[in-house]
Structures are given as structure tokens and as C-alpha cells.
């Protein structure tokens, strides 16, 4: 236990860096937020599994979710694949089925791109956070469809635009895809484009916000005004965690929740009655969920090795891994998606501690910090390696220690 402040106290005990980050002034400057959700076993009275959620400053400031939103695009591309199986009466379609994306509409001149498949795109996303792989997954899912599904699930994540498109010519979304089905190829139109970036499911656009005190334009000019963040993908930290719960542990959608709060209020919505319908809006077929789960668990360079990931450290795609191992030992499985942009460093993970005192222990951890001392955006002078990533490691170790104590481990 330890109540709502257990995570902050464990972080403060991690040394001078952790102590500064855990203090009120340091946490505000860093926009530090964290959410630890422990999966508790069913109670003696026959109640199902529960979630104990420890929130540290969640929602205290706006955060930019960066590449953490790629989880949503990945899952919703897999849902589109399942829909095509039914529509085309082609149960053989899989993540290995070849896809040829076309940037022009059907009937217009222009060659397609080299064939890829969803499995390769997913592995590129989770191992090296490839932006164009994400963009193609989102093209395939369809922005309007994707945002409508997220709205039906009650998940406050909004997908907009294309990632990595801010410093070059505008990206042209794929307009159609040729599906190289074993029974014969067929084409699918993908044309909701940017029209899908608006309010889905009856929700209006989020409140506009800006970041920093100045920013560098795509042309290299310094503008002494905050960077507007409207029009970019958006999510709260808790929404990112909810998304993982619904995708990877949908049976927890109706779970009771115990809230331990530190520096924040209990959010509206979330779990409880109606959760099964929320999970169904994002539900995946078993074979697709198994592939997604495996891709999220891979460490670099992957198995089999992904060429783009070779030569990178094992934890390149997992900010939490080192801290979790320090607290819980080497036998932890981490299914996650990290993100890093505009000074924000984030990770969002489902963790299984294989060596728990009474068997495997399962929990979810999401955290973010903001490191941008000069308050200038797009100058690439962020303190990621010096401060952002070490702090996420500290938070992961602190969370692991809280989990150990809550399960009676020494």
C-alpha cells in the first residue's frame, strides 16, 4: 500500500534527481505525470479482478503523446484487416498478406509502392517507432473510422495528420491499397484522408493549447511565440493507459477500480459498467491480438532481427525496461509503446513480473516528463538523454518497488 503518495515517495528515494522530480516545484517544471495500475486477483466474495490505480499528477498539465498514439493506429489497422476478411469472404488474410499502397485514387495514373504487409509495419512501429510505418497503418485503418472507434470505446485519444511531416513537403496519404490475397488480389479505397481528423463520435475538437515560449519553423526561422499544438494528435496519459487495458486485457474493462490519488482528481468515465461495450469497440481477433502482443513485447533487434533495429541497444524501444529490471529482476515482460517529441518523453506499458511471490504479477505503467530548459520548440535541444530518459527509468524503478511492497516481497 502506502496510499496515494507511494509512487512519489518511492521516486523521491531514488536519489537527488528523483527527489527533485518528486517535489512540487520540480514536478510542475517537468510536467511529470505517472499512472500505475496493478491488476488485483478476484476477491473472496466472488468479485472479479480489480485495478488499483495510483495516479501521480495525472491531468495536471497538457501533454503531447508523441509516438504513444501509434498503438491506436496499429490496433485499428488490425480491425480493418478483420473487416476485410469478412467483407471479401477471405479468412486467409493475415498480417503476412502483401499490400501495395497507392498515393493516387483508383484509375489515376501512378505506380504503387513496393509491397509490404501489416506485420512488417507493426514491427517497424514497435521496434524503431518508424513514422511512415505508422502513417501507412493509419491510412489503412482510415482516420475517420479510427477516431470513431476510439470515441465508441470512450478513449480520449485523437489521431490527426501524419507523423514526421512537419519539416518537409506535405505527405500525400495513401488513397487505395491493393490486397495481394492468395485467392486473388483486390483493391480497397482509402479516402477519408484528413477529413477524419475532426471530432469523431459527436465530440468537438479539444481545447487549443500551446507549448514553450518560442519555436523554430520548418524554414529554420525563430518565432518568439509558443508553438500551437492544435491539429496534432492528442491524448491524456490516463487515456493511453486505458487504451492498453482495453486492447491487451479486455476482460478488465468491467473491473472494479480503486483510486489512490496524488496531486490530481479522479477522472470522469473509465471502467465500470459498460466496459465490455467499450472493449468491443477495439476488440481484435485472437490471431491479430497475439501478433500485436508479440510485437509490443519484442526488444531490439527483434526476433527475427529487423534490419532497421540491428545495432541498437536491447532497451532502445523500452524506456522502462532498465528500471523495472532493477526493481523486479530480469524476468519481466514489457509490452509497450514509447514516445518522444517536443521535449516530452513518455512510455506506456503492460508489465508481467514473472517472479512474483505467488506467481506472475501483472500491472500497467504510464509516465511522462517534459525536458526543455530553453522553452524553444523544434530546435532539437531537448534534455532527453541527460534527464528525460533517466527520469523515466527512475519512475519505472519506483513503480516496481511499489509493486514489490504491495505483494509482500522483500
Amino acid at each position: 500500500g502506502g496510499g496515494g503518495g507511494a509512487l512519489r515517495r518511492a521516486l523521491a528515494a531514488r536519489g537527488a534527481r528523483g527527489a527533485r522530480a518528486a517535489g512540487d516545484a520540480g514536478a510542475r517544471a517537468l510536467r511529470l505525470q505517472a499512472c500505475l495500475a496493478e491488476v488485483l486477483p478476484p476477491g473472496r466474495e466472488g468479485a472479479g479482478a480489480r485495478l488499483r490505480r495510483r495516479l501521480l499528477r495525472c491531468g495536471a498539465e497538457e501533454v503531447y503523446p508523441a509516438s504513444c498514439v501509434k498503438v491506436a493506429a496499429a490496433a485499428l489497422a488490425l480491425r480493418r484487416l478483420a473487416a476485410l476478411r469478412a467483407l471479401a469472404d477471405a479468412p486467409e488474410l493475415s498480417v503476412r498478406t502483401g499490400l501495395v499502397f497507392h498515393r493516387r485514387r483508383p484509375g489515376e495514373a501512378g505506380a504503387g509502392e513496393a509491397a509490404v504487409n501489416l506485420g512488417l509495419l507493426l514491427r517497424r512501429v514497435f521496434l524503431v517507432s518508424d513514422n511512415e510505418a505508422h502513417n501507412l497503418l493509419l491510412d489503412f485503418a482510415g482516420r475517420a473510422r479510427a477516431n470513431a472507434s476510439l470515441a465508441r470505446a470512450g478513449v480520449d485519444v485523437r489521431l490527426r495528420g501524419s507523423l514526421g511531416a512537419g519539416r518537409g513537403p506535405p505527405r500525400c496519404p495513401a488513397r487505395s491499397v491493393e490486397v495481394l490475397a492468395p485467392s486473388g488480389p483486390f483493391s480497397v479505397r482509402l479516402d477519408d484522408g484528413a477529413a477524419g481528423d475532426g471530432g469523431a463520435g459527436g465530440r468537438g475538437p479539444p481545447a487549443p493549447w500551446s507549448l514553450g515560449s518560442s519555436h523554430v519553423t520548418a524554414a529554420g526561422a525563430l518565432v518568439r511565440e509558443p508553438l500551437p499544438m492544435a491539429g496534432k494528435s492528442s491524448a491524456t496519459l490516463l487515456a493511453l493507459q486505458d487504451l492498453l487495458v482495453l486492447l491487451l486485457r479486455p476482460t478488465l474493462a468491467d473491473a472494479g477500480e480503486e483510486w489512490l490519488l496524488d496531486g490530481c482528481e479522479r477522472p470522469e468515465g473509465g471502467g465500470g459498467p459498460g466496459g465490455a461495450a467499450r472493449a468491443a469497440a477495439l476488440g481484435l481477433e485472437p490471431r491479430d491480438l497475439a501478433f500485436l502482443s508479440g510485437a509490443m513485447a519484442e526488444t531490439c533487434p527483434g526476433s527475427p532481427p529487423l534490419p532497421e533495429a540491428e545495432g541498437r541497444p536491447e532497451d532502445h524501444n523500452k524506456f522502462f525496461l532498465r528500471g523495472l529490471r532493477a526493481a523486479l529482476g530480469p524476468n519481466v515482460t514489457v509490452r509497450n509503446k514509447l514516445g518522444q517529441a517536443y521535449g516530452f518523453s513518455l512510455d506506456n506499458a503492460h508489465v508481467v513480473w514473472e517472479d512474483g511471490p505467488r506467481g506472475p504479477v501483472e500491472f500497467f505503467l504510464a509516465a511522462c516528463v517534459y525536458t526543455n530548459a530553453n522553452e524553444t520548440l523544434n530546435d532539437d535541444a531537448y534534455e532527453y538523454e541527460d534527464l528525460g530518459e533517466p527520469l523515466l527509468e527512475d519512475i519505472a524503478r519506483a513503480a516496481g518497488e511499489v509493486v514489490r511492497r504491495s505483494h509482500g516481497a522483500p
Side-chain angles (χ1 to χ4, degrees):
L7 194 53
R8 190 192 295 259
R9 288 193 296 273
L11 177 60
R14 295 268 21 98
R17 182 176 57 218
R20 284 195 297 272
D24 288 341
R28 280 195 303 273
L30 292 163
R31 294 178 176 242
L32 184 149
Q33 299 180 29
C35 180
L36 169 62
E38 300 171 76
V39 181
L40 305 179
R44 294 180 180 177
E45 294 76 24
R50 296 170 294 130
L51 282 175
R52 176 188 291 145
R53 304 187 88 156
R54 303 177 190 271
L55 272 57
L56 174 57
R57 303 190 73 258
C58 283
E61 300 94 7
E62 297 278 3
V63 302
Y64 177 65
S67 290
C68 289
V69 300
K70 292 175 181 175
V71 175
L76 292 161
L78 290 171
R79 280 183 61 83
R80 185 75 182 274
L81 175 66
L84 289 179
R85 287 185 190 122
L87 187 65
D89 192 22
E92 73 277 10
L93 296 183
S94 76
V95 295
R96 306 297 185 192
T97 300
L99 303 172
V100 179
F101 287 93
H102 294 263
R103 307 279 173 161
R104 300 178 184 274
R105 297 185 186 279
E108 293 181 348
E113 301 176 9
V116 294
N117 59 59
L118 291 187
L120 177 60
L121 296 177
L122 288 164
R123 295 189 72 222
R124 286 175 176 169
V125 159
F126 289 107
L127 281 168
V128 297
S129 204
D130 185 277
N131 282 336
E132 185 57 14
H134 159 79
N135 293 335
L136 288 173
L137 288 171
L138 190 52
D139 289 345
F140 185 79
R143 284 163 180 76
R145 291 181 181 89
N147 284 318
S149 293
L150 291 165
R152 284 195 300 273
V155 175
D156 192 15
V157 175
R158 195 78 59 82
L159 300 168
R160 292 186 181 83
S162 297
L163 289 180
R167 298 197 181 183
R171 175 183 180 271
C172 178
R175 298 298 188 182
S176 66
V177 61
E178 186 179 6
V179 181
L180 306 180
S183 56
F186 60 92
S187 291
V188 178
R189 185 167 175 160
L190 309 171
D191 64 351
D192 69 8
D197 288 349
R203 296 182 304 173
W209 67 290
S210 57
L211 188 63
S213 59
S214 57
H215 65 277
V216 178
T217 68
L222 178 65
V223 178
R224 299 194 179 280
E225 294 178 359
L227 179 69
M229 302 300 285
K232 304 183 188 301
S233 291
S234 61
T236 65
L237 190 69
L238 191 59
L240 292 172
Q241 185 171 89
D242 284 344
L243 176 63
L244 273 200
V245 173
L246 291 172
L247 285 174
L248 299 181
R249 289 287 267 112
T251 57
L252 291 173
D254 278 320
E257 294 179 323
E258 173 188 353
W259 297 85
L260 301 174
L261 308 175
D262 180 2
C264 55
E265 297 180 357
R266 176 174 173 171
E268 297 179 1
R278 296 175 62 220
L282 297 174
L284 300 178
E285 292 190 1
R287 55 177 156 166
D288 298 328
L289 178 57
F291 189 91
L292 177 66
S293 179
M296 294 182 72
E298 284 191 279
T299 55
C300 285
S303 180
L306 184 74
E308 299 93 328
E310 293 195 82
R312 299 176 188 255
E314 180 190 21
D315 63 351
H316 170 78
N317 62 330
K318 298 186 186 301
F319 288 148
F320 290 155
L321 184 60
R322 201 175 305 177
L324 291 170
R325 285 177 171 172
L328 302 173
N331 295 325
V332 291
T333 301
V334 181
R335 296 175 177 87
N336 75 302
K337 184 67 196 79
L338 55 73
Q340 198 167 60
Y342 298 120
F344 287 97
S345 298
L346 313 89
D347 208 344
N348 181 32
H350 168 253
V351 183
V352 179
W353 174 27
E354 308 291 353
D355 298 331
R358 289 172 291 279
V361 172
E362 184 181 11
F363 60 95
F364 294 82
L365 178 63
C368 72
V369 294
Y370 174 70
T371 55
N372 186 19
N374 68 8
E375 285 295 326
T376 300
L377 282 302
N378 291 336
D379 65 348
D380 293 329
Y382 308 117
E383 298 78 35
Y384 289 146
E385 295 181 359
D386 294 339
L387 186 56
E389 293 168 25
L391 271 173
L392 289 180
E393 181 182 334
D394 289 343
I395 292 169
R397 184 165 182 173
E401 290 168 354
V402 170
V403 170
R404 286 185 69 91
R405 286 195 291 270
S406 72
H407 287 269

